[in-house]
Amino acid sequence: KKTREMTFALVEQFHKLKDDFVTDEELDRARNMLKCNVLTQLESRLVLFEDIGRQILTYGKREDAATMCAKIDAVSKEDIRQVVRKAIQQPPTFSTVGIDIKNVPKVEEVTQWLGGDLPKK
């Protein structure tokens, strides 16, 4: 039963992000957490080499940590809103692992929720 509730809570958050801007505090916290995670991960040589390869394959060049942090800092509230609005226009993609998955909502149901057809609580 909890998987259904969790999925619904995530959909509700998408709708909030679609309609309302995040607060300055939320945006600053998210930026700081992402920068911390990126920089911490780059302390591992294995992750660093994987990151170099991914960047070269994706962008044709490697960006240093300062450039990545600057890009993270450049993300605006409107950027977040636009990404969420675009994302919820597409059918969701998700997978389920486990023995008892009967309470996991079907893709069609989540698609309806994302489209605004939310069930009453």
Side-chain angles (χ1 to χ4, degrees), residues 43-98:
E43 291 178 4
S44 161
R45 285 192 182 261
L46 180 62
V47 175
L48 175 63
F49 290 130
E50 181 182 313
D51 185 63
I52 291 169
R54 181 189 51 77
Q55 286 187 34
I56 290 173
L57 288 173
T58 304
Y59 306 115
K61 64 179 181 172
R62 177 167 188 263
E63 294 181 337
D64 61 12
T67 302
M68 284 190 281
C69 288
K71 286 184 175 184
I72 292 168
D73 286 334
V75 173
S76 69
K77 295 176 182 184
E78 183 59 35
D79 293 332
I80 294 168
R81 180 188 268 180
Q82 287 177 0
V83 167
V84 169
R85 286 179 174 178
K86 185 175 180 180
I88 65 173
Q89 291 176 355
Q90 306 298 318
T93 301
F94 58 94
S95 63
T96 304
V97 177

Side-chain angles (χ1 to χ4, degrees), residues 3-5 7-8 11 90-96 99-115 117 119:
T3 55
R4 180 177 197 75
E5 292 171 13
T7 305
F8 186 76
V11 169
Q90 306 298 318
T93 301
F94 58 94
S95 63
T96 304
I99 296 170
D100 184 11
I101 60 171
K102 68 180 178 284
N103 290 317
V104 176
K106 303 289 184 223
V107 172
E108 296 81 13
E109 187 173 20
V110 177
T111 300
Q112 286 180 332
W113 294 350
L114 288 170
D117 187 12

Side-chain angles (χ1 to χ4, degrees), residues 17-58:
L17 288 170
K18 174 188 67 120
D19 297 329
D20 302 322
F21 286 118
V22 296
T23 65
D24 290 334
E25 180 182 353
E26 290 169 324
L27 185 56
D28 287 341
R29 189 176 335 125
R31 286 176 178 150
N32 289 335
M33 287 176 61
L34 182 55
K35 288 187 287 187
C36 181
N37 287 337
V38 167
L39 296 174
T40 301
Q41 288 292 317
L42 293 179
E43 291 178 4
S44 161
R45 285 192 182 261
L46 180 62
V47 175
L48 175 63
F49 290 130
E50 181 182 313
D51 185 63
I52 291 169
R54 181 189 51 77
Q55 286 187 34
I56 290 173
L57 288 173
T58 304

